[in-house]
Amino acid sequence: MASDDRRANLKPLSLYVPEPKFRPGDAVDFTSVRLPAAGDTRRPDTADKAETFIDLAYELVRVLDDDHQAVGPWNPRLSPDTMRSILRSMALVRAFDERMFRAQRQGKTSFYMKCTGEEAVAVPAAFALDYEDMCFPSYRQQGLLIARGWSMVDMMNQIYSNSADRLQGKQLPIMYSVREAGFFSISGNLATQYPQAVGWAMASAAKGDTRIAATWCGEGSTAEGDFHSACTFASVYRAPVIFNVVNNQWAISSFSGFAGAESTTFAARAVGYGIAGLRVDGNDALAVYAATAWAAERARTNQGPTLIEHFTYRAEGHSTSDDPGQYRSEGERNAWPLGDPIRRLKDHLITIGEWDEERHAAQDKDLAEEVKRAQKEAEKNGILGHGLHQPLDTLFEGVFEELPWHLKEQQSQMLAEETASGRPWARKS
């Protein structure tokens, strides 16, 4: 029988195109989101083989329950002082974001990205890792630097690209680089930090060091080739690295379904590579701390990498260049079933008698003033909207360890034109 005859009764092939459930103007209903009860998800030993807990890539590690209590095997049993420190750092991140967002709207810088609603993805992780561990962040983990006590003035100098910008205006605002705080240079090219983190972790192991690496990307970036290359190398060599996938439901204007969210969880990416996978309530600071500490112990004891999916929600726009009202329902933010990470940890501390609303309000006021003081100090060094702050000859610095010949030629040409014009350009003193 001819092949054409065999296909005669078949329907034409078609493609499935994912569509978000809620568009602008739609009512929002998240009742279909499956949320296991806090404390229900088992906690395997860090030495267990990954294939023995594949179920954890489909469950949800949760610690804080509806009564604001910390329950279950993943409860990290942190001291009240540590929890208050985590709460303060998350609140400081939010205050920092609010002021820098306003600074962008005032024309003081060109660009900013808030992490509102995602503070628990980075801050508790910073507390769970050692300070010497190297972090390879994406562009929404400013909480790592703030939790590690880094200078907000220094961060603002970079945002303003001013005369004190340690990166000399060569990076887009918010793309920090702080080697001293174990914070690798942020790249605007998505997922490039993943293979870099694996390479750093492999080097650490090859040298017999005890430091591990942790890296972050959004769920959309799991569709990038760099993500999969990193998973392959980490799996083969059991690199001491933690992969964090921040599933905040939305890329810049497309929902998570375009990266495969409708087919399976993002933690399930780990299953195909034979590495440990956890799916965590990304708005539960205690759950994030516990999962990170578990993965760090696994890495530090040569059990290999872990992929953690942080199930959370991007409450604000992707950046100051984005208007989420154009592609998603206004009701999503308030309807998100996992709530606000700062409020949840605050409510837990109040419930156990270690905090109260009055102290929290006073802390918010103090943090807002702290950020305001840092902003005033940074603005003494200039703001992006006031023109060039770096001497022109710094164009040739900070990119190559040894300047290549063609850039040396351009540098000489610049100096010659300066001399010929009789108009000395800004140069370092």
Side-chain angles (χ1 to χ4, degrees):
M1 182 182 293
S3 60
D4 287 347
D5 294 337
R6 289 199 301 268
R7 297 199 302 268
N9 295 323
L10 295 177
K11 293 182 179 179
L13 295 172
S14 63
L15 293 175
Y16 171 71
V17 179
E19 277 289 333
K21 292 183 178 180
F22 318 115
R23 285 294 192 182
D26 291 344
V28 177
D29 182 2
F30 280 121
T31 55
S32 62
V33 176
R34 179 176 169 270
L35 298 177
D40 278 2
T41 304
R42 68 190 182 96
R43 183 186 184 279
D45 189 272
T46 55
D48 287 356
K49 293 186 179 299
E51 64 264 25
T52 65
F53 52 85
I54 289 175
D55 54 304
L56 298 186
Y58 302 92
E59 295 296 326
L60 196 67
V61 174
R62 304 182 70 197
V63 172
L64 293 173
D65 66 13
D66 294 339
D67 297 320
H68 317 305
Q69 296 286 356
V71 298
W74 286 94
N75 180 5
R77 293 177 171 80
L78 299 179
S79 70
D81 283 345
T82 299
M83 288 190 286
R84 281 190 290 264
S85 294
I86 292 173
L87 179 65
R88 182 186 186 280
S89 292
M90 290 197 297
L92 182 55
V93 172
R94 187 164 294 183
F96 183 90
D97 276 355
E98 288 297 329
R99 184 155 286 273
M100 289 296 95
F101 179 86
R102 290 198 299 271
Q104 190 276 336
R105 290 298 192 244
Q106 293 164 355
K108 295 179 178 180
T109 188
S110 61
F111 183 79
Y112 192 74
M113 299 183 80
K114 300 171 77 173
C115 65
T116 306
E118 300 176 45
E119 293 89 354
V121 168
V123 170
F127 276 80
L129 295 167
D130 288 348
Y131 192 90
E132 292 75 20
D133 293 333
M134 181 60 82
C135 297
F136 292 77
S138 182
Y139 39 58
R140 216 182 299 276
Q141 281 81 56
Q142 53 266 48
L144 294 170
L145 282 174
I146 288 178
R148 287 184 165 186
W150 194 251
S151 164
M152 289 188 294
V153 175
D154 186 73
M155 296 170 69
M156 291 175 180
N157 286 336
Q158 195 280 325
I159 292 168
Y160 289 142
S161 298
N162 61 27
S163 60
D165 176 11
R166 62 171 50 227
L167 302 181
Q168 301 177 317
K170 292 183 174 72
Q171 273 276 47
L172 190 71
I174 63 86
M175 294 194 176
Y176 317 101
S177 176
V178 188
R179 183 175 184 176
E180 302 93 317
F183 191 97
F184 197 80
S185 305
I186 295 176
S187 170
N189 296 318
L190 302 180
T192 57
Q193 68 273 22
Y194 258 59
Q196 292 165 348
V198 174
W200 193 96
M202 289 173 63
S204 181
K207 291 187 297 185
D209 205 337
T210 59
R211 295 175 296 170
I212 66 172
T215 184
W216 286 257
C217 76
E219 84 284 344
S221 296
T222 63
E224 297 281 344
D226 282 346
F227 171 86
H228 296 279
S229 295
C231 287
T232 297
F233 272 85
S235 173
V236 170
Y237 295 102
R238 295 183 187 173
V241 62
I242 302 172
F243 296 126
N244 294 281
V245 175
V246 185
N247 178 10
N248 62 15
Q249 314 306 313
W250 288 94
I252 186 167
S253 57
S254 61
F255 85 117
S256 57
F258 281 103
E262 292 184 342
S263 301
T264 187
T265 68
F266 290 98
R269 302 284 192 274
V271 176
Y273 290 102
I275 64 179
L278 298 177
R279 192 162 175 263
V280 176
D281 178 347
N283 288 20
D284 181 343
L286 299 187
V288 172
Y289 181 99
T292 305
W294 183 91
E297 180 180 335
R298 189 173 176 85
R300 237 181 285 279
T301 55
N302 295 309
Q303 303 302 317
T306 300
L307 189 156
I308 302 174
E309 175 190 348
H310 301 266
F311 194 59
T312 182
Y313 185 80
R314 170 164 63 74
E316 300 279 359
H318 181 77
S319 70
T320 50
S321 302
D322 176 44
D323 178 8
Q326 297 298 311
Y327 55 81
R328 73 183 190 190
S329 170
E330 289 290 342
E332 285 194 22
R333 175 176 178 170
N334 294 327
W336 181 244
L338 292 177
D340 178 273
I342 294 176
R343 186 179 300 114
R344 288 177 66 186
L345 185 56
K346 178 198 74 172
D347 289 345
H348 170 62
L349 282 165
I350 291 175
T351 297
I352 63 175
E354 294 290 346
W355 198 238
D356 55 59
E357 293 288 359
E358 291 73 20
R359 276 189 286 177
H360 191 80
Q363 177 177 265
D364 280 346
K365 183 177 179 181
D366 291 344
L367 294 179
E369 287 299 317
E370 184 178 341
V371 175
K372 183 179 179 180
R373 288 192 298 270
Q375 183 185 28
K376 288 183 176 179
E377 189 65 27
E379 290 181 1
K380 292 178 183 178
N381 302 313
I383 60 175
L384 184 61
H386 288 175
L388 182 67
H389 295 284
Q390 297 292 331
L392 282 179
D393 52 352
T394 62
L395 281 169
F396 302 95
E397 298 176 357
V399 179
F400 296 95
E401 183 176 4
E402 187 172 330
L403 205 63
W405 66 268
H406 67 287
L407 291 184
K408 289 180 179 178
E409 281 191 0
Q410 292 177 30
Q411 187 180 41
S412 297
Q413 290 170 5
M414 185 190 79
L415 295 174
E417 290 178 14
E418 177 191 69
T419 302
S421 67
R423 291 182 290 107
W425 295 336
R427 192 181 302 168
K428 292 188 300 181
S429 58

